[in-house]
Amino acid sequence: MTEETTPDPTAPDTIVLVHGLWMTPRSWRGWKEHFEAEGFTVLTPAYPGFEIEVEALREQPELIADLTVPATVDHLAAQIEALPKPPIIMGHSFGGTLTQLLLARGLGASGVVVDSAPTEGVRMTPLSQAKSLFPALKNPANLHRAVAFTPEEFHYAFANTLSREDSDAVWSEFAIPAPGNWIWAYGLIANFKPGHQETWVDYTKDRAPLLFIGGEKDHIMPPSVNKSNAKHYAKSPAVTEYVEFPGRSHWICAEPGWEEVADHALEWALAHARPAVVASA
């Protein structure tokens, strides 16, 4: 006889997946279907201006060139605040930075950041990261443009564990330009300007539990960047953990074996989620 269990009304039932730069919500296609098959509601909100398809954004990159980080965080926060219960928030690459900013606002039951871009104050800049970002940083005029990777640049920065042929196929289906001012402001300038910038968080405050996932072979956001970012939260009373997957590139959320990463992220997020406050009848 099978014993029936009653669902926990305080457990999160929604997952919000935040995409990174050079990508759109299309990049979460596998994770969205995977988590929906587990019974979750899965939201993949686009940044403002990123709602149109990949092909259209390539033709009109000016649509996203002037987007700002505060406007993007406000846009994502509004969608999360409208949910009946705090969701699990997961972000990849710059979506990891945005996830940290959202958790810093008190949002989310738990968070997972995968190959995250750093928040302000993380000063680790490995050579592979500098090489990956050089196409955007080599020309100051890119501050006012949306900047795309060539297939060769994408292979080095994003999908170095794939064959060049497979990487080119990924580039064709998923890659778009990214706002150059974000890369300059948060990849190069933020740590050298006085005062707090737009990607700063108070690393000492309490917030929802947060897991950092790093990919061993990631060139653009290497493990050292993610480990340094996680260590910044050492004085916070909130749970912060780091785990690394061997042999994974920045394309960790879709390269072969991605299901193992997704399952680990969900299992950790559910195990550490803060219970929602449920109104009594």
Side-chain angles (χ1 to χ4, degrees), residues 199-220:
T199 58
W200 178 83
V201 299
D202 185 345
Y203 293 106
T204 68
K205 289 186 66 175
D206 197 10
R207 48 136 177 82
L210 173 62
L211 173 66
F212 283 79
I213 293 179
E216 180 201 12
K217 302 295 186 183
D218 188 347
H219 279 168
I220 192 168

Side-chain angles (χ1 to χ4, degrees), residues 238-254:
V239 173
T240 306
E241 294 184 3
Y242 172 82
V243 66
E244 187 171 316
F245 282 77
R248 310 304 173 95
S249 71
H250 201 61
W251 195 236
I252 187 172
C253 294

Side-chain angles (χ1 to χ4, degrees), residues 134-243:
F134 184 70
L137 298 175
K138 65 184 178 183
N139 185 350
N142 287 338
L143 267 165
H144 308 290
R145 299 170 177 159
V147 185
F149 282 132
T150 66
E152 181 179 7
E153 292 164 349
F154 182 87
H155 185 222
Y156 180 81
F158 257 75
N160 47 296
T161 58
L162 303 184
S163 68
R164 177 60 192 272
E165 180 181 11
D166 289 344
S167 176
D168 286 1
V170 170
W171 181 90
S172 296
E173 185 173 2
F174 294 98
I176 62 165
N181 69 82
W182 288 32
I183 302 158
W184 273 80
Y186 312 117
L188 188 67
I189 299 173
N191 286 331
F192 301 99
K193 294 179 71 175
H196 297 317
Q197 307 303 308
E198 293 163 348
T199 58
W200 178 83
V201 299
D202 185 345
Y203 293 106
T204 68
K205 289 186 66 175
D206 197 10
R207 48 136 177 82
L210 173 62
L211 173 66
F212 283 79
I213 293 179
E216 180 201 12
K217 302 295 186 183
D218 188 347
H219 279 168
I220 192 168
M221 296 299 162
S224 58
V225 174
N226 280 264
K227 284 188 280 191
S228 177
N229 199 157
K231 287 179 179 176
H232 274 64
Y233 289 105
K235 294 183 179 179
S236 170
V239 173
T240 306
E241 294 184 3
Y242 172 82
V243 66

Side-chain angles (χ1 to χ4, degrees), residues 89-111:
I89 307 174
M90 299 184 183
H92 173 247
S93 197
F94 207 93
T97 303
L98 297 172
T99 297
Q100 293 181 63
L101 295 174
L102 291 166
L103 264 58
R105 289 191 180 194
L107 300 174
S110 57

